[in-house]
Amino acid sequence: MQKQISNLDKLTLSNDFLFKHVMLRKRICKHILEELLHTEIADITYLEAEQTIDVYPDSHGIRLDVRIADTANTHYNLEMQVKNPVNRATGKFLLPKRTRYYQAMLDTDMLQKGQDYDELSTTYIIFFCLFDFFQDSQRIYTFKKRCLENMNIELADEAVIMFLNTLGTKGDVSPDIQSLFDYINSNTINSNFTREVADTIVEIKNDKKVRDAYMTYEMRMKDLRDEAHAEGKAEGLAEGKAEGLAEGKAKEKTATAKRLLSMGLSVEDIAKATSLSVEQVEAIKVE
């Protein structure tokens, strides 16, 4: 138990679990959205808050972190992204298509609640990134759909995706947003706002319910890692067994071909008898 508790004490705002709990503090989350979007928000409501608090990462890591709606029915999804995920098989970065999937999840959820297409809410998917995905040093990268033939024409589907680059040096952000970036990067407190965030984190870490939830979260994470390890080990054993069987069959065919060669059979007849190619039998004959 002590190990689990000490792990919680070491968490910083960049940690997914702690980030969710901090964003569930309405005053902090609302202020961040207002500073980012340069607008006043009367109030915000958390969507499926209980699921967000107790969220466990699934096999694809695609559950939305923090979902919010404001009084104007604008919907927000806030995500913390520490690493830049890559598909090991293809070498392609996953973040762009992940935003596409998140957008589909938001829209599908709204439509399931009975809205028509023209009633779909304005949405903002906001990623806090501890890396510069686009390598242009912008503090904020904002994406909307535009016509390639005329970039002045916007599709106006009211779907916005924002990547917040905490390492950025270009573009203007408010002092509080910059101080938040500094705090995420290095735990540096240089504003009243980050002091509030830091105090909130201390309060969260001292909350028994949060500590219990984190212990459950850690155990679930361990179970998932163990399951992945077991699956990988099973696959490795299966592959090794298959390779061993194939190697055994190849050796058996080679031995048969050698016996038939010693008996004076033709290369063509041996190839037919062993299912080896003529070239393979010729190579065995040379040996």
Side-chain angles (χ1 to χ4, degrees):
M1 177 180 292
Q2 184 59 40
K3 182 177 184 297
Q4 302 293 344
I5 291 175
S6 64
N7 283 344
L8 174 60
D9 291 335
K10 294 176 183 177
L11 296 187
T12 64
L13 186 57
S14 63
N15 176 269
D16 186 62
F17 180 89
L18 189 57
F19 172 76
K20 294 169 189 174
H21 281 274
V22 172
M23 290 302 106
L24 286 170
R25 299 302 175 98
K26 183 179 289 190
R27 172 180 163 79
I28 291 175
C29 188
K30 177 174 171 289
H31 182 66
I32 290 173
L33 291 175
E34 288 179 330
E35 294 291 292
L36 280 175
L37 304 177
H38 308 288
T39 187
E40 290 188 10
I41 298 175
D43 194 13
I44 58 175
T45 303
Y46 292 95
L47 308 175
E48 302 173 7
E50 290 303 316
Q51 285 188 352
T52 303
I53 292 175
D54 299 327
V55 65
Y56 299 139
D58 61 20
S59 59
H60 298 290
I62 53 176
R63 186 183 291 271
L64 302 180
D65 277 1
V66 182
R67 290 184 55 203
I68 303 159
D70 64 18
T71 49
N73 201 32
T74 298
H75 287 226
Y76 309 89
N77 168 219
L78 279 65
E79 304 280 332
M80 176 60 71
Q81 195 70 42
V82 175
K83 297 180 180 180
N84 190 6
V86 179
N87 184 319
R88 293 181 180 179
T90 64
K92 292 183 178 180
F93 292 104
L94 302 177
L95 206 51
K97 286 192 176 178
R98 181 175 290 184
T99 65
R100 175 176 165 183
Y101 185 82
Y102 285 4
Q103 186 63 58
M105 290 181 72
L106 291 175
D107 291 343
T108 300
D109 182 63
M110 283 185 276
L111 288 176
Q112 286 176 346
K113 290 179 170 57
Q115 288 183 302
D116 292 328
Y117 293 112
D118 62 342
E119 294 178 304
L120 283 172
S121 303
T122 299
T123 59
Y124 285 86
I125 296 175
I126 303 172
F127 279 86
F128 290 77
C129 299
L130 276 71
F131 52 90
D132 187 355
F133 183 84
F134 301 100
Q135 299 295 309
D136 192 45
S137 299
Q138 299 292 335
R139 290 184 172 91
I140 299 178
Y141 299 92
T142 304
F143 290 87
K144 296 181 179 181
K145 296 184 181 69
R146 293 188 178 275
C147 175
L148 293 180
E149 289 72 22
N150 184 345
M151 295 299 286
N152 291 320
I153 300 176
E154 183 182 333
L155 184 59
D157 61 353
E158 298 183 353
V160 183
I161 297 173
M162 300 176 69
F163 295 87
L164 311 184
N165 172 24
T166 63
L167 303 176
T169 56
K170 296 180 182 177
D172 295 329
V173 294
S174 72
D176 278 356
I177 292 299
Q178 183 59 56
S179 69
L180 180 64
F181 287 176
D182 295 338
Y183 184 73
I184 291 173
N185 291 333
S186 61
N187 283 330
T188 301
I189 299 172
N190 54 22
S191 70
N192 291 334
F193 178 58
T194 48
R195 167 52 62 192
E196 180 182 358
V197 171
D199 291 344
T200 299
I201 288 175
V202 172
E203 180 183 335
I204 289 171
K205 289 181 177 180
N206 288 328
D207 188 320
K208 185 179 183 303
K209 290 183 178 180
V210 175
R211 299 184 85 84
D212 292 342
Y214 183 68
M215 289 175 66
T216 304
Y217 174 85
E218 282 281 271
M219 287 187 284
R220 177 58 176 156
M221 287 286 287
K222 182 179 183 301
D223 289 343
L224 289 173
R225 287 193 294 268
D226 290 345
E227 289 172 11
H229 178 72
E231 290 176 3
K233 187 175 181 181
E235 289 178 4
L237 289 173
E239 290 176 0
K241 185 176 180 181
E243 289 174 2
L245 290 172
E247 185 178 349
K249 288 181 179 180
K251 288 181 178 179
E252 182 180 343
K253 288 182 178 181
T254 299
T256 301
K258 287 181 178 179
R259 286 196 300 270
L260 294 177
L261 282 167
S262 68
M263 294 169 62
L265 273 69
S266 70
V267 170
E268 290 75 12
D269 287 340
I270 295 173
K272 291 178 181 178
T274 60
S275 298
L276 293 170
S277 68
V278 171
E279 291 77 9
Q280 287 174 313
V281 178
E282 290 282 8
I284 294 170
K285 185 177 180 180
V286 171
E287 292 177 3

